[in-house]
Structure formats: C-alpha cells, structure tokens
mmCIF file of all heavy atoms in Angstrom:
data_model
loop_
_atom_site.group_PDB
_atom_site.id
_atom_site.type_symbol
_atom_site.label_atom_id
_atom_site.label_comp_id
_atom_site.label_asym_id
_atom_site.label_seq_id
_atom_site.Cartn_x
_atom_site.Cartn_y
_atom_site.Cartn_z
ATOM 1 N N SER F 1 88.356 110.647 103.233
ATOM 2 C CA SER F 1 89.025 110.883 101.935
ATOM 3 C C SER F 1 90.486 111.255 102.114
ATOM 4 O O SER F 1 91.293 110.960 101.242
ATOM 5 C CB SER F 1 88.278 112.037 101.222
ATOM 6 O OG SER F 1 86.921 111.676 100.926
ATOM 7 N N ILE F 2 90.791 112.029 103.216
ATOM 8 C CA ILE F 2 92.174 112.518 103.359
ATOM 9 C C ILE F 2 92.682 112.260 104.765
ATOM 10 O O ILE F 2 91.896 111.938 105.649
ATOM 11 C CB ILE F 2 92.259 114.033 102.994
ATOM 12 C CG1 ILE F 2 91.465 114.849 104.006
ATOM 13 C CG2 ILE F 2 91.843 114.288 101.540
ATOM 14 C CD1 ILE F 2 91.652 116.364 103.849
ATOM 15 N N LYS F 3 93.957 112.468 104.978
ATOM 16 C CA LYS F 3 94.614 112.319 106.255
ATOM 17 C C LYS F 3 94.126 113.427 107.183
ATOM 18 O O LYS F 3 94.209 114.585 106.838
ATOM 19 C CB LYS F 3 96.075 112.329 106.134
ATOM 20 C CG LYS F 3 96.877 112.468 107.414
ATOM 21 C CD LYS F 3 96.938 111.172 108.188
ATOM 22 C CE LYS F 3 97.867 111.356 109.403
ATOM 23 N NZ LYS F 3 97.863 110.133 110.289
ATOM 24 N N MET F 4 93.634 113.042 108.373
ATOM 25 C CA MET F 4 93.224 114.024 109.386
ATOM 26 C C MET F 4 94.210 114.110 110.545
ATOM 27 O O MET F 4 94.931 113.123 110.816
ATOM 28 C CB MET F 4 91.837 113.716 109.920
ATOM 29 C CG MET F 4 90.739 113.646 108.887
ATOM 30 S SD MET F 4 90.444 115.271 108.133
ATOM 31 C CE MET F 4 89.647 116.147 109.488
ATOM 32 N N HIS F 5 94.274 115.244 111.231
ATOM 33 C CA HIS F 5 95.057 115.355 112.418
ATOM 34 C C HIS F 5 94.515 114.435 113.491
ATOM 35 O O HIS F 5 93.351 114.072 113.465
ATOM 36 C CB HIS F 5 95.046 116.800 112.930
ATOM 37 C CG HIS F 5 95.989 117.128 114.013
ATOM 38 N ND1 HIS F 5 95.628 116.897 115.360
ATOM 39 C CD2 HIS F 5 97.251 117.683 114.029
ATOM 40 C CE1 HIS F 5 96.714 117.297 116.072
ATOM 41 N NE2 HIS F 5 97.618 117.711 115.331
ATOM 42 N N LYS F 6 95.363 114.024 114.438
ATOM 43 C CA LYS F 6 94.939 113.081 115.503
ATOM 44 C C LYS F 6 93.839 113.692 116.373
ATOM 45 O O LYS F 6 93.054 112.963 116.970
ATOM 46 C CB LYS F 6 96.155 112.681 116.376
ATOM 47 C CG LYS F 6 96.792 113.816 117.097
ATOM 48 C CD LYS F 6 97.997 113.339 117.922
ATOM 49 C CE LYS F 6 98.651 114.502 118.678
ATOM 50 N NZ LYS F 6 99.843 114.013 119.449
ATOM 51 N N ILE F 7 93.772 115.040 116.394
ATOM 52 C CA ILE F 7 92.620 115.673 117.080
ATOM 53 C C ILE F 7 91.950 116.544 115.973
ATOM 54 O O ILE F 7 92.275 117.675 115.771
ATOM 55 C CB ILE F 7 93.058 116.645 118.239
ATOM 56 C CG1 ILE F 7 93.938 115.880 119.205
ATOM 57 C CG2 ILE F 7 91.860 117.176 118.965
ATOM 58 C CD1 ILE F 7 94.563 116.713 120.308
ATOM 59 N N PRO F 8 91.025 115.943 115.246
ATOM 60 C CA PRO F 8 90.516 116.594 113.987
ATOM 61 C C PRO F 8 89.513 117.704 114.210
ATOM 62 O O PRO F 8 89.283 118.511 113.313
ATOM 63 C CB PRO F 8 89.858 115.431 113.286
ATOM 64 C CG PRO F 8 89.426 114.515 114.358
ATOM 65 C CD PRO F 8 90.439 114.653 115.433
ATOM 66 N N LEU F 9 88.939 117.840 115.392
ATOM 67 C CA LEU F 9 87.938 118.879 115.624
ATOM 68 C C LEU F 9 88.341 119.651 116.902
ATOM 69 O O LEU F 9 88.425 119.099 117.974
ATOM 70 C CB LEU F 9 86.501 118.245 115.857
ATOM 71 C CG LEU F 9 85.383 119.253 116.102
ATOM 72 C CD1 LEU F 9 85.242 120.241 114.899
ATOM 73 C CD2 LEU F 9 84.053 118.499 116.268
ATOM 74 N N ARG F 10 88.552 120.928 116.716
ATOM 75 C CA ARG F 10 88.992 121.818 117.820
ATOM 76 C C ARG F 10 88.270 123.146 117.769
ATOM 77 O O ARG F 10 87.579 123.453 116.768
ATOM 78 C CB ARG F 10 90.535 122.052 117.684
ATOM 79 C CG ARG F 10 91.428 120.891 117.849
ATOM 80 C CD ARG F 10 92.803 121.196 117.494
ATOM 81 N NE ARG F 10 93.764 120.228 117.992
ATOM 82 C CZ ARG F 10 95.092 120.257 117.692
ATOM 83 N NH1 ARG F 10 95.555 121.185 116.954
ATOM 84 N NH2 ARG F 10 95.882 119.348 118.250
ATOM 85 N N SER F 11 88.535 123.947 118.772
ATOM 86 C CA SER F 11 87.928 125.277 118.789
ATOM 87 C C SER F 11 88.830 126.248 119.477
ATOM 88 O O SER F 11 89.641 125.878 120.345
ATOM 89 C CB SER F 11 86.531 125.231 119.459
ATOM 90 O OG SER F 11 86.671 124.829 120.799
ATOM 91 N N ALA F 12 88.681 127.522 119.141
ATOM 92 C CA ALA F 12 89.447 128.586 119.744
ATOM 93 C C ALA F 12 88.790 129.930 119.311
ATOM 94 O O ALA F 12 87.862 129.941 118.537
ATOM 95 C CB ALA F 12 90.935 128.555 119.348
ATOM 96 N N ARG F 13 89.332 131.009 119.837
ATOM 97 C CA ARG F 13 88.700 132.329 119.585
ATOM 98 C C ARG F 13 89.214 132.963 118.301
ATOM 99 O O ARG F 13 90.019 133.903 118.251
ATOM 100 C CB ARG F 13 89.010 133.256 120.778
ATOM 101 C CG ARG F 13 88.130 134.489 120.829
ATOM 102 C CD ARG F 13 88.364 135.265 122.123
ATOM 103 N NE ARG F 13 87.408 136.329 122.296
ATOM 104 C CZ ARG F 13 87.653 137.577 121.924
ATOM 105 N NH1 ARG F 13 88.799 137.908 121.339
ATOM 106 N NH2 ARG F 13 86.761 138.522 122.118
ATOM 107 N N PHE F 14 88.724 132.390 117.154
ATOM 108 C CA PHE F 14 89.118 132.911 115.833
ATOM 109 C C PHE F 14 88.242 134.103 115.518
ATOM 110 O O PHE F 14 87.038 133.991 115.449
ATOM 111 C CB PHE F 14 88.933 131.817 114.784
ATOM 112 C CG PHE F 14 89.920 130.699 114.803
ATOM 113 C CD1 PHE F 14 89.637 129.555 115.565
ATOM 114 C CD2 PHE F 14 91.130 130.802 114.119
ATOM 115 C CE1 PHE F 14 90.532 128.515 115.605
ATOM 116 C CE2 PHE F 14 92.049 129.765 114.210
ATOM 117 C CZ PHE F 14 91.774 128.627 114.933
ATOM 118 N N TRP F 15 88.897 135.221 115.254
ATOM 119 C CA TRP F 15 88.124 136.435 114.838
ATOM 120 C C TRP F 15 87.321 136.210 113.581
ATOM 121 O O TRP F 15 86.171 136.638 113.490
ATOM 122 C CB TRP F 15 89.106 137.604 114.659
ATOM 123 C CG TRP F 15 88.497 138.914 114.324
ATOM 124 C CD1 TRP F 15 87.143 139.190 114.160
ATOM 125 C CD2 TRP F 15 89.184 140.114 114.107
ATOM 126 N NE1 TRP F 15 86.968 140.479 113.855
ATOM 127 C CE2 TRP F 15 88.196 141.118 113.842
ATOM 128 C CE3 TRP F 15 90.519 140.512 114.190
ATOM 129 C CZ2 TRP F 15 88.512 142.464 113.594
ATOM 130 C CZ3 TRP F 15 90.835 141.836 113.937
ATOM 131 C CH2 TRP F 15 89.832 142.820 113.652
ATOM 132 N N VAL F 16 87.885 135.517 112.574
ATOM 133 C CA VAL F 16 87.182 135.418 111.337
ATOM 134 C C VAL F 16 85.934 134.532 111.428
ATOM 135 O O VAL F 16 85.090 134.607 110.544
ATOM 136 C CB VAL F 16 88.154 134.790 110.267
ATOM 137 C CG1 VAL F 16 88.291 133.268 110.402
ATOM 138 C CG2 VAL F 16 87.750 135.144 108.875
ATOM 139 N N LEU F 17 85.758 133.823 112.532
ATOM 140 C CA LEU F 17 84.552 133.029 112.738
ATOM 141 C C LEU F 17 83.569 133.693 113.726
ATOM 142 O O LEU F 17 82.697 133.043 114.300
ATOM 143 C CB LEU F 17 84.940 131.651 113.331
ATOM 144 C CG LEU F 17 85.968 130.822 112.543
ATOM 145 C CD1 LEU F 17 86.194 129.476 113.227
ATOM 146 C CD2 LEU F 17 85.484 130.623 111.104
ATOM 147 N N SER F 18 83.659 135.029 113.871
ATOM 148 C CA SER F 18 82.897 135.675 114.941
ATOM 149 C C SER F 18 81.510 136.121 114.540
ATOM 150 O O SER F 18 80.796 136.684 115.411
ATOM 151 C CB SER F 18 83.690 136.926 115.401
ATOM 152 O OG SER F 18 83.857 137.867 114.337
ATOM 153 N N ALA F 19 81.027 135.950 113.319
ATOM 154 C CA ALA F 19 79.703 136.365 112.962
ATOM 155 C C ALA F 19 78.689 135.650 113.874
ATOM 156 O O ALA F 19 78.683 134.424 113.898
ATOM 157 C CB ALA F 19 79.402 136.103 111.500
ATOM 158 N N PRO F 20 77.815 136.368 114.545
ATOM 159 C CA PRO F 20 76.886 135.743 115.445
ATOM 160 C C PRO F 20 75.717 135.043 114.781
ATOM 161 O O PRO F 20 75.078 134.229 115.390
ATOM 162 C CB PRO F 20 76.389 136.888 116.286
ATOM 163 C CG PRO F 20 76.434 138.077 115.387
ATOM 164 C CD PRO F 20 77.682 137.849 114.559
ATOM 165 N N ASP F 21 75.520 135.284 113.473
ATOM 166 C CA ASP F 21 74.351 134.796 112.809
ATOM 167 C C ASP F 21 74.687 133.985 111.523
ATOM 168 O O ASP F 21 73.803 133.720 110.706
ATOM 169 C CB ASP F 21 73.420 135.922 112.389
ATOM 170 C CG ASP F 21 74.187 137.122 111.805
ATOM 171 O OD1 ASP F 21 75.426 137.096 111.714
ATOM 172 O OD2 ASP F 21 73.524 138.045 111.285
ATOM 173 N N VAL F 22 75.950 133.554 111.431
ATOM 174 C CA VAL F 22 76.389 132.764 110.262
ATOM 175 C C VAL F 22 77.167 131.563 110.810
ATOM 176 O O VAL F 22 78.274 131.747 111.385
ATOM 177 C CB VAL F 22 77.298 133.563 109.309
ATOM 178 C CG1 VAL F 22 77.726 132.710 108.140
ATOM 179 C CG2 VAL F 22 76.576 134.814 108.831
ATOM 180 N N PRO F 23 76.699 130.325 110.616
ATOM 181 C CA PRO F 23 77.488 129.138 110.982
ATOM 182 C C PRO F 23 78.855 129.234 110.226
ATOM 183 O O PRO F 23 78.894 129.303 109.006
ATOM 184 C CB PRO F 23 76.639 127.972 110.513
ATOM 185 C CG PRO F 23 75.261 128.528 110.507
ATOM 186 C CD PRO F 23 75.345 129.975 110.080
ATOM 187 N N SER F 24 79.949 129.151 111.012
ATOM 188 C CA SER F 24 81.274 129.392 110.427
ATOM 189 C C SER F 24 82.300 128.371 110.932
ATOM 190 O O SER F 24 82.304 128.059 112.137
ATOM 191 C CB SER F 24 81.756 130.799 110.829
ATOM 192 O OG SER F 24 80.835 131.796 110.444
ATOM 193 N N VAL F 25 83.095 127.863 110.005
ATOM 194 C CA VAL F 25 84.175 126.933 110.372
ATOM 195 C C VAL F 25 85.443 127.358 109.691
ATOM 196 O O VAL F 25 85.407 128.040 108.643
ATOM 197 C CB VAL F 25 83.821 125.493 110.022
ATOM 198 C CG1 VAL F 25 82.612 124.972 110.727
ATOM 199 C CG2 VAL F 25 83.684 125.279 108.470
ATOM 200 N N LEU F 26 86.565 126.923 110.226
ATOM 201 C CA LEU F 26 87.832 127.184 109.633
ATOM 202 C C LEU F 26 88.504 125.828 109.401
ATOM 203 O O LEU F 26 88.605 125.015 110.330
ATOM 204 C CB LEU F 26 88.707 128.057 110.491
ATOM 205 C CG LEU F 26 90.097 128.511 109.978
ATOM 206 C CD1 LEU F 26 90.470 129.858 110.547
ATOM 207 C CD2 LEU F 26 91.203 127.463 110.345
ATOM 208 N N ILE F 27 88.904 125.586 108.128
ATOM 209 C CA ILE F 27 89.505 124.298 107.844
ATOM 210 C C ILE F 27 91.048 124.551 107.612
ATOM 211 O O ILE F 27 91.446 125.321 106.748
ATOM 212 C CB ILE F 27 88.989 123.664 106.512
ATOM 213 C CG1 ILE F 27 87.445 123.514 106.589
ATOM 214 C CG2 ILE F 27 89.626 122.322 106.228
ATOM 215 C CD1 ILE F 27 86.840 123.054 105.289
ATOM 216 N N GLU F 28 91.872 123.863 108.402
ATOM 217 C CA GLU F 28 93.292 123.828 108.189
ATOM 218 C C GLU F 28 93.545 122.604 107.335
ATOM 219 O O GLU F 28 93.390 121.436 107.799
ATOM 220 C CB GLU F 28 94.065 123.736 109.509
ATOM 221 C CG GLU F 28 94.057 125.040 110.314
ATOM 222 C CD GLU F 28 94.987 126.110 109.678
ATOM 223 O OE1 GLU F 28 95.844 125.818 108.843
ATOM 224 O OE2 GLU F 28 94.826 127.267 110.115
ATOM 225 N N LEU F 29 93.858 122.773 106.081
ATOM 226 C CA LEU F 29 93.999 121.638 105.136
ATOM 227 C C LEU F 29 95.090 120.694 105.462
ATOM 228 O O LEU F 29 95.056 119.505 105.117
ATOM 229 C CB LEU F 29 94.144 122.137 103.719
ATOM 230 C CG LEU F 29 93.019 123.008 103.131
ATOM 231 C CD1 LEU F 29 93.438 123.632 101.813
ATOM 232 C CD2 LEU F 29 91.769 122.160 102.962
ATOM 233 N N GLY F 30 96.121 121.189 106.157
ATOM 234 C CA GLY F 30 97.265 120.364 106.511
ATOM 235 C C GLY F 30 98.361 121.257 107.005
ATOM 236 O O GLY F 30 98.161 122.455 107.190
ATOM 237 N N TYR F 31 99.558 120.697 107.137
ATOM 238 C CA TYR F 31 100.708 121.444 107.632
ATOM 239 C C TYR F 31 101.742 121.594 106.541
ATOM 240 O O TYR F 31 102.314 120.628 106.078
ATOM 241 C CB TYR F 31 101.310 120.703 108.858
ATOM 242 C CG TYR F 31 100.490 120.804 110.107
ATOM 243 C CD1 TYR F 31 99.430 119.933 110.257
ATOM 244 C CD2 TYR F 31 100.714 121.740 111.097
ATOM 245 C CE1 TYR F 31 98.641 119.961 111.398
ATOM 246 C CE2 TYR F 31 99.944 121.823 112.237
ATOM 247 C CZ TYR F 31 98.903 120.921 112.363
ATOM 248 O OH TYR F 31 98.152 121.007 113.520
ATOM 249 N N MET F 32 101.962 122.826 106.106
ATOM 250 C CA MET F 32 102.967 123.092 105.105
ATOM 251 C C MET F 32 104.385 122.746 105.550
ATOM 252 O O MET F 32 105.254 122.596 104.716
ATOM 253 C CB MET F 32 102.862 124.545 104.632
ATOM 254 C CG MET F 32 101.562 124.860 103.905
ATOM 255 S SD MET F 32 101.429 126.564 103.355
ATOM 256 C CE MET F 32 102.763 126.656 102.218
ATOM 257 N N SER F 33 104.576 122.666 106.879
ATOM 258 C CA SER F 33 105.858 122.329 107.404
ATOM 259 C C SER F 33 106.126 120.826 107.303
ATOM 260 O O SER F 33 107.252 120.407 107.527
ATOM 261 C CB SER F 33 105.905 122.726 108.894
ATOM 262 O OG SER F 33 104.755 122.311 109.608
ATOM 263 N N SER F 34 105.095 120.012 107.038
ATOM 264 C CA SER F 34 105.275 118.577 106.797
ATOM 265 C C SER F 34 105.586 118.350 105.340
ATOM 266 O O SER F 34 104.771 118.730 104.464
ATOM 267 C CB SER F 34 103.996 117.827 107.208
ATOM 268 O OG SER F 34 103.966 116.556 106.587
ATOM 269 N N PRO F 35 106.716 117.761 104.975
ATOM 270 C CA PRO F 35 107.014 117.530 103.597
ATOM 271 C C PRO F 35 105.931 116.726 102.846
ATOM 272 O O PRO F 35 105.570 117.055 101.709
ATOM 273 C CB PRO F 35 108.352 116.736 103.646
ATOM 274 C CG PRO F 35 108.962 117.098 104.944
ATOM 275 C CD PRO F 35 107.802 117.333 105.878
ATOM 276 N N LYS F 36 105.313 115.770 103.533
ATOM 277 C CA LYS F 36 104.282 114.998 102.922
ATOM 278 C C LYS F 36 102.969 115.825 102.682
ATOM 279 O O LYS F 36 102.392 115.780 101.644
ATOM 280 C CB LYS F 36 103.926 113.777 103.780
ATOM 281 C CG LYS F 36 102.842 112.852 103.144
ATOM 282 C CD LYS F 36 103.287 112.309 101.839
ATOM 283 C CE LYS F 36 102.268 111.323 101.244
ATOM 284 N NZ LYS F 36 102.656 110.835 99.910
ATOM 285 N N ASP F 37 102.595 116.580 103.715
ATOM 286 C CA ASP F 37 101.438 117.433 103.565
ATOM 287 C C ASP F 37 101.685 118.497 102.496
ATOM 288 O O ASP F 37 100.747 118.805 101.683
ATOM 289 C CB ASP F 37 101.090 118.110 104.890
ATOM 290 C CG ASP F 37 100.123 117.286 105.752
ATOM 291 O OD1 ASP F 37 99.936 116.104 105.374
ATOM 292 O OD2 ASP F 37 99.642 117.767 106.779
ATOM 293 N N ALA F 38 102.868 119.068 102.471
ATOM 294 C CA ALA F 38 103.172 120.147 101.463
ATOM 295 C C ALA F 38 103.028 119.591 100.109
ATOM 296 O O ALA F 38 102.554 120.297 99.190
ATOM 297 C CB ALA F 38 104.614 120.639 101.727
ATOM 298 N N GLU F 39 103.481 118.352 99.896
ATOM 299 C CA GLU F 39 103.348 117.717 98.575
ATOM 300 C C GLU F 39 101.898 117.524 98.178
ATOM 301 O O GLU F 39 101.515 117.825 97.060
ATOM 302 C CB GLU F 39 104.074 116.341 98.579
ATOM 303 C CG GLU F 39 103.970 115.587 97.304
ATOM 304 C CD GLU F 39 104.619 114.184 97.366
ATOM 305 O OE1 GLU F 39 105.291 113.927 98.423
ATOM 306 O OE2 GLU F 39 104.370 113.399 96.499
ATOM 307 N N LEU F 40 101.099 117.090 99.146
ATOM 308 C CA LEU F 40 99.657 116.844 98.886
ATOM 309 C C LEU F 40 98.923 118.174 98.663
ATOM 310 O O LEU F 40 98.040 118.225 97.791
ATOM 311 C CB LEU F 40 99.071 116.131 100.083
ATOM 312 C CG LEU F 40 99.546 114.645 100.253
ATOM 313 C CD1 LEU F 40 98.929 114.065 101.533
ATOM 314 C CD2 LEU F 40 99.168 113.787 99.068
ATOM 315 N N LEU F 41 99.228 119.183 99.423
ATOM 316 C CA LEU F 41 98.519 120.464 99.289
ATOM 317 C C LEU F 41 98.688 121.021 97.898
ATOM 318 O O LEU F 41 97.833 121.838 97.448
ATOM 319 C CB LEU F 41 99.051 121.463 100.328
ATOM 320 C CG LEU F 41 98.585 121.187 101.795
ATOM 321 C CD1 LEU F 41 99.429 122.042 102.752
ATOM 322 C CD2 LEU F 41 97.121 121.471 101.971
ATOM 323 N N ASN F 42 99.759 120.690 97.201
ATOM 324 C CA ASN F 42 100.013 121.169 95.820
ATOM 325 C C ASN F 42 99.621 120.153 94.791
ATOM 326 O O ASN F 42 99.912 120.394 93.602
ATOM 327 C CB ASN F 42 101.435 121.577 95.684
ATOM 328 C CG ASN F 42 101.782 122.880 96.433
ATOM 329 O OD1 ASN F 42 101.472 123.934 95.919
ATOM 330 N ND2 ASN F 42 102.391 122.725 97.603
ATOM 331 N N SER F 43 98.947 119.058 95.199
ATOM 332 C CA SER F 43 98.523 118.049 94.270
ATOM 333 C C SER F 43 97.113 118.230 93.804
ATOM 334 O O SER F 43 96.182 118.227 94.638
ATOM 335 C CB SER F 43 98.692 116.630 94.938
ATOM 336 O OG SER F 43 97.970 115.661 94.246
ATOM 337 N N PRO F 44 96.831 118.404 92.509
ATOM 338 C CA PRO F 44 95.457 118.528 92.022
ATOM 339 C C PRO F 44 94.630 117.278 92.396
ATOM 340 O O PRO F 44 93.404 117.428 92.642
ATOM 341 C CB PRO F 44 95.642 118.631 90.529
ATOM 342 C CG PRO F 44 97.038 119.247 90.339
ATOM 343 C CD PRO F 44 97.808 118.585 91.436
ATOM 344 N N GLU F 45 95.242 116.130 92.385
ATOM 345 C CA GLU F 45 94.484 114.896 92.732
ATOM 346 C C GLU F 45 94.007 114.931 94.213
ATOM 347 O O GLU F 45 92.860 114.677 94.509
ATOM 348 C CB GLU F 45 95.323 113.681 92.546
ATOM 349 C CG GLU F 45 94.630 112.357 92.820
ATOM 350 C CD GLU F 45 95.534 111.163 92.614
ATOM 351 O OE1 GLU F 45 96.682 111.319 92.212
ATOM 352 O OE2 GLU F 45 95.062 110.004 92.878
ATOM 353 N N TRP F 46 94.915 115.319 95.093
ATOM 354 C CA TRP F 46 94.568 115.424 96.541
ATOM 355 C C TRP F 46 93.505 116.508 96.712
ATOM 356 O O TRP F 46 92.531 116.347 97.437
ATOM 357 C CB TRP F 46 95.787 115.720 97.340
ATOM 358 C CG TRP F 46 95.483 115.864 98.820
ATOM 359 C CD1 TRP F 46 95.523 114.902 99.803
ATOM 360 C CD2 TRP F 46 95.083 117.094 99.533
ATOM 361 N NE1 TRP F 46 95.152 115.405 101.026
ATOM 362 C CE2 TRP F 46 94.904 116.757 100.858
ATOM 363 C CE3 TRP F 46 94.856 118.347 99.086
ATOM 364 C CZ2 TRP F 46 94.450 117.723 101.820
ATOM 365 C CZ3 TRP F 46 94.459 119.318 100.040
ATOM 366 C CH2 TRP F 46 94.260 119.005 101.375
#
C-alpha cells in the first residue's frame, strides 16, 4: 500500500518493546526529513 524502506524489517534494543509477554512492534511511518515522506505523513489519503 505504501512506500517501504529498502530494508523494511529491522530490530534493535528498543525499551518501549521490552514487555516479555506482549508481542510488540514499532512502526516508523517514514522520514520527516524527506520532503516527499513529510508531505505524505500529513496526507489524510496516505
């Protein structure tokens, strides 16, 4: 449905995902530093 990063699935030691008994993911919707992504992030259609 939307543009994905060239490496779309990654992992690291995120504190907010640390619950041992709750499946947890973090979604980075895009890069606000990218003019195109910034435009899309503020688009109701996107």
Side-chain angles (χ1 to χ4, degrees):
S1 300
I2 64 172
K3 168 76 174 177
M4 299 295 289
H5 189 275
K6 63 182 179 180
I7 308 175
L9 182 58
R10 293 170 163 176
S11 62
R13 196 171 186 268
F14 289 92
W15 182 358
V16 80
L17 305 182
S18 63
D21 47 354
V22 180
S24 305
V25 300
L26 184 148
I27 305 174
E28 289 285 345
L29 297 172
Y31 289 82
M32 294 180 62
S33 48
S34 159
K36 182 61 177 176
D37 272 9
E39 178 185 349
L40 293 174
L41 287 167
N42 286 283
S43 162
E45 181 181 358
W46 179 92

